[in-house]
Amino acid sequence: MTTPITPVILSGGSGSRLWPVSRKLRPKQFLPLIQEDRTLFQSTLDRLDGIPGKQLPVVVCNEEHRFMVAEQLQGIRQEHQGILLEPVGRNTAPAVAVAALCLLERAGQQGDGVVKQDPVMLVLPADHVIPDVGAFQKAILDASALAENGYLVTFGITPTAPETGYGYIERGSAVVGFENAWQVAAFAEKPDVETATAYLHGGRHLWNSGIFMFKASVFLHELEAFRPDILESCQKTFKLAQRDLDFIRLDTASFATCPSDSIDYAVMEHTHHAATVPLSAGWNDVGAWSAVWDVCPRDAANNVLRGNVMVHDAGNNLVFTEDRLVTLVGVDDLVVIETKDATLVTHKNKAQDVKRIVSALEAEGRSEAIVHRLVNRPWGCYDSVDMGERFQVKRITVKPGAKLSLQKHHHRAEHWIVVKGTAEVTCDDRTFLLTENQSTYIPLGSTHRLANPGKVPLELVEVQSGSYLGEDDIVRLEDQYGRNEPS
C-alpha cells in the first residue's frame, strides 16, 4: 500500500549571504538563482512530482512573504492545502509543529474528532538544490516506510569534501528490516577542518540536510516529551489562528511568546526513534555565492556569467548583473554581483562573510539590507528610478485585472503618465480611463485608486511631490488584498 506523503515546505529565512540579490523582503528562496525560469521555492515543489502517494503541500512562510508564495504557487499551477503565516520567526520546531497541528485537524475534520489518517510529513526547506531527482525520490520512498513505523527520519547527505559549514549526523547500526536506513548514533556541530577531514575518511558521518520525514502525531508526541513549552505555545497559536482565503494567520501574541528552537535541538537529538537515510543526489543548500558557482553551468574558463557581462583573461568567477554592463579583465576567483542599487565584489573564499556587510547595513538602518529598488506587490511592482528633495519618480507595473487600494495621502500629490496599456483611474468622485501617452494629476488629500482593466500589463510613470514621500503615508480606505500595512 502506498504511503500518503504530505510535503511541508519551510519558506522562512533571509538568505543574507546571497546579498545584494537576496534581501529580507525578497529572500533567496523566491529568486531564480539557478534556473532562470524557476525560483528555488518552485524547484522544491517541482522535484516532488511523480512521488507515489504525494499529497498537496502545506507551506509555512513569513507573513511578509505571503503574496510572493501565493503568486509563485500559481505560477507553476501548484494547488496546496494551506499557507501558514508566521508573524515572527521562531525556527523550525515551532514551524513544523503548527503544520502538524494543521494536518491533524484536517485529517479529523470529517469524523467525530477521531483522526482518520495520521499524515506522514515530508519537511523540506524551500531553498535547496537537488539535481538528481531520481535518487532524491528513491530516498523519500525508503524513508516513508520508516516513518510509517514510527521513526523520525533525517536525510543525511553523503559528504564529498571536509565541509566545515554543515552539522553532521553519525550513523549507528542498520535499522533491521528496512532498506538504506541507519539508526542515528549522534549529531555533531559544525566541525573544524581536521575533524571534518576525519569524518570524511571515517565513512560514518553524513551532512545534516535539514530534511525530515515523520508522522505528524509522532513528532508532536516527541515534542511534548522534550519541549512541552513549544508544543503548548503552538497549540494556543493554532487555536487562535485566523483563516483568510488560502492563508492561515497564526496568532501574533501567542506565537511571539513561543521559544525559538530547531527540530534538531528540540527533538532529534533527544528522541530514541531517530533514523537516517543517506542521500547522494548532488544536494546543495546554496548558502553562499560560492555555492551558486558550484551548481551553475560554467563557460570554458570556469566562469558563471549572467546578464550584461564581458570578460577577458578571467577565470573561476561568478558574475550576475541586473542592469549595467560589468566587465572583468585579468582576475580570477571573484564574485561580482550588480543590482540597481548595490554592487558586491568579494573573493569566492570570503563569500560566507557577506552576511557581515548585511549586518552593518542593518545597524545603520540602510534600506538596501531590506528591500530592492524594484519592490513587488500583490498587484504588480514599482521601481524607484529617481529621488530628490521633495520629489520621487517611480515606474509602476500593474498586472492585468489587478488594482491598488483605494487610498489617500496627507503629504504628497502625484502625477501619473501612462506608458503602456490602459489605466482605470478613480480620483474622488470621478472614474475615467487613460491610455498610452495620457496623464492625470492626483491632488494631495484626494481619495484615489489605480486599476488595470486590460489584458496586458499596465505601465506608467508616477511623479510624487510633497513634504514627505515615505510609503507609510498611505491611508487605506479599501483593499482587496486584506492589507492594513502600507504595502
Side-chain angles (χ1 to χ4, degrees):
M1 182 178 177
T2 300
T3 300
I5 298 170
T6 301
V8 175
I9 312 300
L10 303 182
S11 303
S14 61
S16 60
R17 291 182 181 89
L18 293 177
W19 185 88
V21 172
S22 175
R23 305 192 190 184
K24 182 178 179 181
L25 292 185
R26 197 171 183 86
K28 68 173 183 174
Q29 58 267 30
F30 303 117
L31 299 170
L33 287 171
I34 310 303
Q35 298 172 265
E36 295 192 39
D37 64 341
R38 281 287 194 274
T39 67
L40 295 177
F41 172 74
Q42 290 172 323
S43 296
T44 298
L45 292 160
D46 283 346
R47 72 175 66 100
L48 302 174
D49 289 345
I51 295 176
K54 186 199 77 170
Q55 307 296 296
L56 294 179
V58 171
V59 179
V60 185
C61 71
N62 188 302
E63 187 171 8
E64 292 178 322
H65 302 152
R66 64 193 183 279
F67 295 117
M68 278 187 290
V69 168
E71 182 178 356
Q72 294 195 9
L73 288 169
Q74 185 180 20
I76 58 173
R77 299 182 179 180
Q78 174 65 65
E79 297 181 15
H80 58 86
Q81 295 191 53
I83 302 171
L84 289 157
L85 305 181
E86 293 183 307
V88 291
R90 284 297 178 263
N91 215 316
T92 54
V96 173
V98 293
L101 292 167
C102 177
L103 289 172
L104 286 171
E105 180 187 77
R106 290 180 179 274
Q109 278 179 348
Q110 296 179 353
D112 54 2
V114 177
V115 176
K116 305 301 180 185
Q117 178 184 321
D118 191 354
V120 171
M121 305 169 65
L122 172 61
V123 178
L124 297 161
D127 55 0
H128 291 179
V129 171
I130 305 177
D132 191 341
V133 174
F136 172 66
Q137 294 193 358
K138 171 64 167 57
I140 288 173
L141 295 180
D142 291 340
S144 67
L146 289 160
E148 275 284 10
N149 283 271
Y151 283 94
L152 293 93
V153 184
T154 178
F155 292 77
I157 307 302
T158 305
T160 56
E163 178 61 56
T164 60
Y166 303 140
Y168 282 73
I169 302 164
E170 182 182 353
R171 294 192 312 189
S173 57
V175 180
V176 178
F178 295 92
E179 182 181 352
N180 194 34
W182 279 262
Q183 295 178 0
V184 174
F187 288 87
E189 297 290 341
K190 297 176 182 178
D192 56 28
V193 174
E194 183 178 350
T195 303
T197 301
Y199 287 166
L200 177 65
H201 297 310
R204 292 188 299 111
H205 287 81
L206 306 166
W207 292 337
N208 190 346
S209 70
I211 303 172
F212 303 93
M213 182 179 280
F214 34 65
K215 285 184 175 180
S217 67
V218 171
F219 176 74
L220 293 177
H221 180 271
E222 297 299 278
L223 187 64
E224 183 177 31
F226 303 114
R227 288 303 304 266
D229 53 339
I230 292 179
L231 179 59
E232 183 179 356
S233 292
C234 291
Q235 287 172 328
K236 182 179 180 182
T237 296
F238 187 71
K239 183 178 181 180
L240 296 173
Q242 301 291 318
R243 274 65 176 175
D244 177 16
L245 300 176
D246 290 338
F247 301 126
I248 301 171
R249 296 175 179 269
L250 300 178
D251 180 68
T252 301
S254 54
F255 199 63
T257 63
C258 182
S260 177
D261 209 352
S262 68
I263 296 174
D264 292 304
Y265 286 139
V267 171
M268 297 301 293
E269 291 189 1
H270 306 289
T271 182
H272 299 296
H273 307 291
T276 186
V277 169
L279 174 62
S280 297
W283 173 90
N284 192 307
D285 71 347
V286 201
W289 284 114
S290 53
V292 176
W293 181 86
D294 286 337
V295 299
C296 283
R298 303 173 205 147
D299 66 12
N302 271 333
N303 294 305
V304 175
L305 309 175
R306 184 182 296 179
N308 194 7
V309 185
M310 293 183 69
V311 299
H312 173 72
D313 190 25
N316 299 308
N317 298 294
L318 171 69
V319 188
F320 277 23
T321 73
E322 281 187 3
D323 191 24
R324 291 168 292 182
L325 170 66
V326 173
T327 64
L328 272 64
V329 178
V331 294
D332 301 319
D333 300 308
L334 292 183
V335 173
V336 181
I337 311 297
E338 182 271 342
T339 67
K340 292 181 178 180
D341 62 347
T343 301
L344 167 73
V345 180
T346 182
H347 194 281
K348 281 214 309 288
N349 290 345
K350 293 292 185 179
Q352 293 282 349
D353 291 339
V354 171
K355 64 179 181 180
R356 298 182 183 274
I357 294 293
V358 177
S359 296
L361 291 170
E362 290 174 339
E364 293 184 10
R366 297 282 296 260
S367 64
E368 292 93 335
I370 308 298
V371 66
H372 289 269
R373 205 183 80 176
L374 180 70
V375 178
N376 289 271
R377 292 291 185 244
W379 45 260
C381 62
Y382 67 83
D383 184 2
S384 298
V385 298
D386 196 10
M387 180 183 293
E389 186 177 357
R390 296 183 64 88
F391 82 91
Q392 181 171 207
V393 181
K394 292 183 177 180
R395 180 171 180 170
I396 296 175
T397 302
V398 184
K399 301 173 188 174
K403 59 183 178 181
L404 283 68
S405 60
L406 184 67
Q407 59 185 252
K408 63 180 180 180
H409 311 295
H410 291 306
H411 304 286
R412 71 175 184 249
E414 296 173 346
H415 298 259
W416 294 346
I417 306 99
V418 176
V419 176
K420 178 182 177 182
T422 300
E424 180 184 273
V425 178
T426 298
C427 185
D428 292 327
D429 58 353
R430 297 174 58 220
T431 298
F432 52 95
L433 297 179
L434 293 178
T435 56
E436 294 178 11
N437 299 318
Q438 294 183 324
S439 63
T440 191
Y441 169 63
I442 308 296
L444 183 152
S446 293
T447 298
H448 61 279
R449 165 176 272 162
L450 177 65
N452 180 0
K455 303 295 185 183
V456 299
L458 165 65
E459 296 181 11
L460 70 149
V461 174
E462 175 183 86
V463 181
Q464 302 175 355
S465 60
S467 60
Y468 180 73
L469 305 174
E471 285 299 300
D472 52 350
D473 180 25
I474 298 177
V475 179
R476 244 189 212 99
L477 307 174
E478 180 184 311
D479 183 70
Q480 71 181 89
Y481 308 106
R483 298 170 298 168
N484 293 317
E485 72 278 14
S487 59

